[in-house]
Amino acid sequence: MSKLQGKRIAFVATDGFEDSELTSPWEAVTAAGADAVMIAPAAGTITGKNGHEQPVDHVLGQVSADSFDALVLPGGVVNADHLRLDSEAVAFARDMFTEHKPAGVICHGAWLLVEAGVVDGRRITSYPSLQTDLRNAGADWVDEEVVVDQGLVSSRTPEDLPAFNAKLVEEIGEGEHERQHA
């Protein structure tokens, strides 16, 4: 399958990510022909909360949104909490939205989108404990398996990964979404 042939997908995470929320979407986009790229705050390797080690391809601050076709933000409380405090991660996410790129976010990954200021007026889901944060940032939070809003794909937990992955590949395949915005 080559639905995403030639597409470069930026995965942004750091230590403490939810393993399956990185590995499952990674496998889905690469199986569809995309080039998945791991971007993190520091070089080397990042480790998931269950021990998956992922080599880092690029460091935040040394890449730009115009080099990628889509963004994926895995969850994991520690991962998401660290990234939302990283100004380069926040800027990169905002830039991806400014350039109308499709984005996928699952579980706690939405914290970075709150910090980036890109959820106001958007319909989104997440791990339930983020609903107040997302609503306070202007989002219409719903409790659904997968939500698609103008190129933004969101899901709640690892149990939602099959639906999340299918919609993620579909939205990336559609390309830039004019109504995707920062």
Coordinates of all heavy atoms in Angstrom, one line a residue, residues 24-65:
S24 N 2.1 2.1 17.3 CA 1.0 1.7 16.4 C 0.8 2.8 15.3 O 0.7 2.4 14.1 CB -0.3 1.5 17.3 OG -1.3 1.1 16.5
P25 N 0.7 4.1 15.6 CA 0.5 5.0 14.5 C 1.8 5.0 13.5 O 1.6 5.2 12.3 CB 0.3 6.4 15.1 CG -0.1 6.1 16.5 CD 0.5 4.7 16.9
W26 N 2.9 4.8 14.1 CA 4.2 4.8 13.3 C 4.1 3.6 12.3 O 4.3 3.8 11.1 CB 5.4 4.5 14.3 CG 6.7 4.6 13.7 CD1 7.3 3.6 12.9 CD2 7.7 5.6 13.8 NE1 8.6 4.0 12.5 CE2 8.8 5.2 13.1 CE3 7.7 6.8 14.5 CZ2 10.0 6.0 13.0 CZ3 8.8 7.6 14.4 CH2 9.9 7.2 13.6
E27 N 3.6 2.5 12.8 CA 3.5 1.3 11.9 C 2.4 1.6 10.8 O 2.5 1.2 9.7 CB 3.1 0.1 12.7 CG 4.3 -0.4 13.5 CD 3.9 -1.5 14.5 OE1 2.7 -1.9 14.5 OE2 4.8 -1.9 15.3
A28 N 1.3 2.3 11.2 CA 0.2 2.5 10.3 C 0.7 3.5 9.1 O 0.4 3.2 8.0 CB -1.0 3.1 11.0
V29 N 1.4 4.5 9.5 CA 1.8 5.5 8.4 C 2.9 4.9 7.6 O 2.9 5.1 6.3 CB 2.1 6.9 9.0 CG1 0.9 7.5 9.7 CG2 3.4 6.9 9.8
T30 N 3.8 4.1 8.2 CA 4.9 3.6 7.3 C 4.3 2.4 6.5 O 4.8 2.3 5.3 CB 6.1 3.1 8.2 OG1 5.6 2.1 9.2 CG2 6.8 4.2 8.9
A31 N 3.4 1.7 7.0 CA 2.7 0.6 6.1 C 2.0 1.3 4.9 O 1.9 0.6 3.9 CB 1.8 -0.2 7.0
A32 N 1.6 2.5 5.1 CA 0.9 3.2 4.0 C 1.9 4.0 3.1 O 1.4 4.7 2.2 CB -0.1 4.2 4.6
G33 N 3.2 3.8 3.4 CA 4.2 4.3 2.5 C 4.9 5.6 2.9 O 5.7 6.1 2.2
A34 N 4.5 6.1 4.1 CA 5.1 7.4 4.6 C 6.5 7.1 5.2 O 6.8 6.0 5.6 CB 4.2 8.1 5.6
D35 N 7.2 8.2 5.3 CA 8.5 8.2 6.1 C 8.2 8.8 7.4 O 7.9 10.0 7.5 CB 9.5 9.0 5.3 CG 10.9 9.1 6.0 OD1 11.2 8.2 6.8 OD2 11.6 10.1 5.7
A36 N 8.3 8.0 8.5 CA 8.1 8.5 9.9 C 9.4 9.0 10.4 O 10.4 8.4 10.3 CB 7.5 7.4 10.7
V37 N 9.3 10.2 11.1 CA 10.5 10.8 11.6 C 10.3 11.1 13.1 O 9.4 11.8 13.4 CB 10.8 12.1 10.8 CG1 12.1 12.8 11.3 CG2 11.0 11.8 9.3
M38 N 11.2 10.7 13.9 CA 11.1 10.9 15.4 C 11.9 12.2 15.7 O 13.0 12.4 15.4 CB 11.8 9.8 16.1 CG 11.6 9.8 17.6 SD 9.8 9.5 18.1 CE 9.4 11.1 18.7
I39 N 11.1 13.1 16.3 CA 11.7 14.4 16.7 C 11.5 14.6 18.2 O 10.4 14.3 18.8 CB 10.9 15.6 16.0 CG1 11.0 15.4 14.5 CG2 11.5 16.9 16.5 CD1 10.2 16.3 13.7
A40 N 12.5 14.9 18.9 CA 12.5 15.0 20.4 C 13.3 16.2 20.9 O 14.1 16.8 20.1 CB 13.0 13.7 21.0
P41 N 13.2 16.6 22.2 CA 14.0 17.7 22.7 C 15.5 17.4 22.7 O 16.3 18.4 22.7 CB 13.5 17.8 24.1 CG 12.1 17.2 24.1 CD 12.2 16.1 23.1
A42 N 15.9 16.2 22.7 CA 17.4 15.9 22.8 C 17.7 14.7 21.9 O 16.9 13.9 21.6 CB 17.8 15.6 24.2
A43 N 19.0 14.7 21.4 CA 19.4 13.6 20.6 C 19.5 12.3 21.3 O 19.5 12.3 22.6 CB 20.8 14.0 20.0
G44 N 19.7 11.2 20.6 CA 19.9 9.9 21.2 C 18.7 9.0 21.1 O 18.2 8.8 19.9
T45 N 18.1 8.6 22.2 CA 17.0 7.7 22.2 C 16.0 8.1 23.3 O 16.4 8.6 24.3 CB 17.5 6.2 22.5 OG1 18.5 5.8 21.6 CG2 16.4 5.2 22.5
I46 N 14.7 8.0 23.0 CA 13.7 8.2 24.0 C 13.1 6.9 24.4 O 13.1 5.9 23.6 CB 12.6 9.2 23.6 CG1 11.9 8.8 22.3 CG2 13.3 10.6 23.4 CD1 10.7 9.6 21.9
T47 N 12.6 6.8 25.6 CA 12.1 5.6 26.2 C 10.7 5.7 26.6 O 10.4 6.7 27.4 CB 13.0 5.1 27.4 OG1 14.3 5.0 26.9 CG2 12.5 3.7 27.9
G48 N 9.8 4.8 26.2 CA 8.4 4.9 26.6 C 8.2 4.4 28.0 O 9.1 3.8 28.6
K49 N 7.0 4.6 28.6 CA 6.8 4.2 29.9 C 6.8 2.7 30.2 O 7.1 2.3 31.3 CB 5.5 4.8 30.5 CG 4.2 4.2 29.9 CD 3.0 4.8 30.6 CE 1.8 3.9 30.5 NZ 0.7 4.3 31.3
N50 N 6.6 2.0 29.1 CA 6.7 0.5 29.2 C 8.0 -0.1 28.6 O 8.1 -1.3 28.4 CB 5.5 -0.1 28.5 CG 4.2 0.2 29.2 OD1 4.2 0.2 30.5 ND2 3.2 0.5 28.5
G51 N 9.0 0.8 28.3 CA 10.3 0.4 27.9 C 10.7 0.4 26.5 O 11.8 0.1 26.1
H52 N 9.7 0.7 25.6 CA 10.1 0.8 24.1 C 11.1 1.9 23.9 O 10.9 3.1 24.4 CB 8.9 1.1 23.3 CG 9.2 1.3 21.8 ND1 9.5 0.3 21.0 CD2 9.3 2.5 21.1 CE1 9.8 0.8 19.8 NE2 9.7 2.1 19.8
E53 N 12.2 1.6 23.3 CA 13.2 2.6 23.0 C 13.1 3.1 21.5 O 13.0 2.2 20.6 CB 14.6 2.1 23.3 CG 14.8 1.9 24.7 CD 16.3 1.5 25.1 OE1 17.1 1.3 24.1 OE2 16.6 1.4 26.3
Q54 N 13.1 4.4 21.3 CA 12.9 4.9 19.9 C 14.1 5.8 19.6 O 14.3 6.8 20.3 CB 11.6 5.7 19.8 CG 11.3 6.2 18.5 CD 10.9 5.1 17.5 OE1 10.3 4.1 17.8 NE2 11.3 5.3 16.2
P55 N 14.8 5.5 18.6 CA 15.9 6.5 18.2 C 15.3 7.8 17.7 O 14.3 7.9 17.0 CB 16.6 5.7 17.0 CG 16.1 4.3 17.1 CD 14.8 4.3 17.7
V56 N 16.0 8.9 18.1 CA 15.6 10.2 17.7 C 16.3 10.6 16.4 O 17.5 10.4 16.3 CB 16.0 11.2 18.8 CG1 15.8 12.7 18.3 CG2 15.3 10.9 20.1
D57 N 15.5 11.0 15.4 CA 16.1 11.4 14.1 C 16.5 12.8 14.1 O 17.5 13.2 13.4 CB 15.0 11.1 13.0 CG 14.7 9.7 12.9 OD1 15.6 8.8 12.8 OD2 13.4 9.4 12.9
H58 N 15.7 13.7 14.7 CA 16.0 15.1 14.7 C 15.7 15.7 16.1 O 14.8 15.2 16.8 CB 15.2 15.9 13.6 CG 15.6 15.4 12.3 ND1 16.7 15.8 11.6 CD2 14.9 14.7 11.4 CE1 16.8 15.3 10.4 NE2 15.7 14.6 10.2
V59 N 16.3 16.8 16.4 CA 16.1 17.5 17.7 C 15.2 18.7 17.4 O 15.4 19.4 16.4 CB 17.5 17.9 18.3 CG1 17.2 18.8 19.5 CG2 18.3 16.7 18.6
L60 N 14.3 18.9 18.3 CA 13.4 20.1 18.2 C 14.3 21.4 18.1 O 15.3 21.4 18.8 CB 12.5 20.2 19.4 CG 11.3 19.3 19.4 CD1 10.7 19.1 20.7 CD2 10.2 19.8 18.4
G61 N 13.9 22.4 17.4 CA 14.7 23.6 17.2 C 15.7 23.5 16.0 O 16.2 24.5 15.6
Q62 N 15.9 22.3 15.5 CA 16.7 22.1 14.3 C 15.9 21.6 13.1 O 16.5 21.2 12.1 CB 17.8 21.1 14.7 CG 18.7 21.5 15.8 CD 19.8 20.5 16.2 OE1 19.8 19.4 15.7 NE2 20.7 21.0 17.0
V63 N 14.6 21.6 13.2 CA 13.7 21.2 12.1 C 12.6 22.3 12.0 O 12.3 23.0 12.9 CB 13.1 19.8 12.4 CG1 14.1 18.7 12.3 CG2 12.3 19.8 13.7
S64 N 12.1 22.3 10.8 CA 11.0 23.3 10.6 C 9.7 22.5 10.1 O 9.9 21.5 9.4 CB 11.4 24.4 9.7 OG 11.7 23.9 8.4
A65 N 8.6 23.1 10.3 CA 7.3 22.5 9.9 C 7.2 22.3 8.4 O 6.6 21.4 7.9 CB 6.2 23.4 10.4

